[in-house]
Amino acid sequence: MKKKILGMLLAGAMVVSLVGCGSKPEAEAPSSGEEAPAAGEEASAQETPAAEEDGETPYVIWVNPLVGSAVFTSADNGITAASEEFGFKLKIIGPSVLDDTQMYEAVQSAIVEQPDLIVTTPYNYSAIQGLYADAQEKNIPIINISSDSEEAGRVSFIGTDNTAYGQLAADYVNEKMGGEANVLIMMANLDTSNQLEQKTAFEEKCAAEYPGIKVVLTDEDNGDSATALQKFEDNLKAHPEIDTIFCLESIGGVAAANAVEELGMEGKITILAIDDNEDTLQYIKDGKIWGTMAQNFYKMGYTAGEFAVKHLEGETVDSIVDSGTVLITQENADSYTEEFYK
């Protein structure tokens, strides 16, 4: 059984929650099944009928940090829909693995093309900070989604309010567990900035309002399914008091459920996952995961496209936009998108 699960996980793509999934069918995006582009190479380019080479149509490049992932495919779909509605030429580029060097090269490649505006996700801002200054020197504005940079170096940030996210998670866990829980928190990396903010907010809310909710330990899995499976098994064996798992990266929920099944602990562990990728949703419907907090990446991409046009036309746009979250359980797993994508 374990070998089968491990094999399936090793075949899965690494997806780190820098933010979530939730694709809509209206727009197409790069497929993880396609040949992976080299760093900086075009992963996909969409042009609306209005996007003619007339020198007037705005040209926007979206540098996707993880092309082909369920998380950022939703953002692809959102910004593609915006390009069709607001009439700008769109190009999507980016690496197919989370890699600082490849991300640097992709953003650098976008700057070389001198588009009217760049949309990107600075998940490790320190690694590409110099490129923001370079873009400013060349009068190329940048809009961030999912992860943010220094406010002075970008037009807007559209993404999850990480403090609100962590506080809501504390509320949900407290309600579900009746005020008493021993929690294992799983992060991609212990220093992943947005996840660290979420974790801190969760712990502070529990300390202030829910003293019966205790964090037993926090661990990291590098966003890798096989690593996550092993970490969950080891931690659950070493800490039998754990009864709740709170995941802050996308593959964690499924890995946690598989570990619980492998250890024969079904019904004893409550799992709160993150994002609404397909596997997580199916595990919720099957009763293997209690719930997940989905981040609206479609809205992130769509709003970035909308703001790109407004900014280029001289309009003032909000510096920060909370794209929102929704708790998905068995009760609303088939219906949450009706509200989420309004």
Side-chain angles (χ1 to χ4, degrees):
M1 175 66 177
K2 182 172 181 179
K3 290 183 178 179
K4 181 179 180 181
I5 292 174
L6 184 59
M8 293 172 63
L9 291 172
L10 285 169
M14 178 183 73
V15 178
V16 174
S17 176
L18 308 167
V19 246
C21 138
S23 58
K24 293 185 74 177
E26 287 84 354
E28 295 182 357
S31 169
S32 59
E34 296 174 358
E35 183 177 352
E41 286 187 358
E42 179 181 346
S44 177
Q46 296 92 1
E47 294 186 22
T48 68
E52 298 174 356
E53 298 296 338
D54 55 8
E56 297 179 0
T57 301
Y59 177 34
V60 176
I61 297 180
W62 154 226
V63 184
N64 182 328
L66 189 56
V67 170
S69 72
V71 172
F72 287 102
T73 293
S74 291
D76 292 343
N77 292 343
I79 196 169
T80 299
S83 73
E84 295 168 354
E85 180 171 345
F86 298 103
F88 60 88
K89 179 182 177 182
L90 173 66
K91 183 176 184 180
I92 302 175
I93 65 173
S96 58
V97 295
L98 282 173
D99 179 85
D100 289 347
T101 299
Q102 291 190 37
M103 186 62 180
Y104 183 97
E105 292 172 353
V107 175
Q108 186 178 55
S109 174
I111 293 172
V112 168
E113 285 201 44
Q114 295 188 314
D116 294 296
L117 185 141
I118 292 172
V119 177
T120 194
T121 299
Y123 65 89
N124 185 359
Y125 174 59
S126 62
I128 59 174
Q129 184 173 1
L131 294 177
Y132 275 68
D134 188 22
Q136 280 190 308
E137 290 178 3
K138 293 179 171 59
N139 295 314
I140 303 172
I142 295 178
I143 291 176
N144 294 331
I145 69 169
S146 182
S147 297
D148 203 7
S149 61
E150 296 174 353
E151 186 173 9
R154 49 78 170 161
V155 172
S156 181
F157 165 64
I158 303 131
T160 302
D161 181 327
N162 293 312
T163 297
Y165 185 99
Q167 292 171 343
L168 279 172
D171 293 339
Y172 296 147
V173 169
N174 179 70
E175 182 177 358
K176 174 64 176 176
M177 300 302 293
E180 299 288 336
N182 293 307
V183 184
L184 162 61
I185 299 177
M186 185 63 74
M187 302 172 64
N189 298 105
L190 296 179
D191 60 353
T192 301
S193 59
N194 62 321
Q195 296 175 25
L196 187 58
E197 291 175 19
Q198 294 164 357
K199 170 184 176 291
T200 300
F202 177 88
E203 292 175 327
E204 290 179 349
K205 182 70 177 285
C206 290
E209 299 185 24
Y210 309 131
I213 308 299
K214 307 291 187 183
V215 176
V216 176
L217 63 92
T218 300
D219 207 343
E220 60 184 350
D221 59 22
N222 298 314
D224 178 77
S225 297
T227 300
L229 177 65
Q230 191 62 58
K231 287 288 187 79
F232 282 124
E233 289 190 6
D234 291 345
N235 287 326
L236 289 173
K237 289 176 181 177
H239 298 274
E241 71 274 23
I242 291 172
D243 55 22
T244 306
I245 293 174
F246 176 35
C247 301
L248 291 174
E249 48 77 33
S250 289
I251 56 90
V254 170
N258 286 333
V260 167
E261 182 178 1
E262 185 66 31
L263 294 173
M265 300 178 69
E266 298 95 326
K268 298 179 180 180
I269 307 294
T270 297
I271 301 171
L272 178 59
I274 188 170
D275 298 330
D276 57 339
N277 58 63
E278 184 177 353
D279 289 343
T280 299
L281 290 176
Q282 189 59 56
Y283 272 46
I284 289 172
K285 295 174 184 178
D286 293 342
K288 297 179 179 180
I289 294 175
W290 163 62
T292 189
M293 292 177 67
Q295 304 172 93
N296 198 333
F297 272 70
Y298 182 91
K299 181 178 180 180
M300 292 182 203
Y302 180 88
T303 305
E306 178 185 5
F307 278 17
V309 172
K310 288 182 175 180
H311 176 75
L312 293 172
E313 291 178 346
E315 294 186 41
T316 299
V317 299
D318 293 334
S319 177
I320 298 175
V321 174
D322 179 9
S323 51
T325 61
V326 63
L327 175 65
I328 304 170
T329 64
Q330 281 186 327
E331 286 70 26
N332 65 340
D334 291 319
S335 62
Y336 77 96
T337 56
E338 296 174 8
E339 178 66 26
F340 208 36
Y341 294 120
K342 285 185 178 178

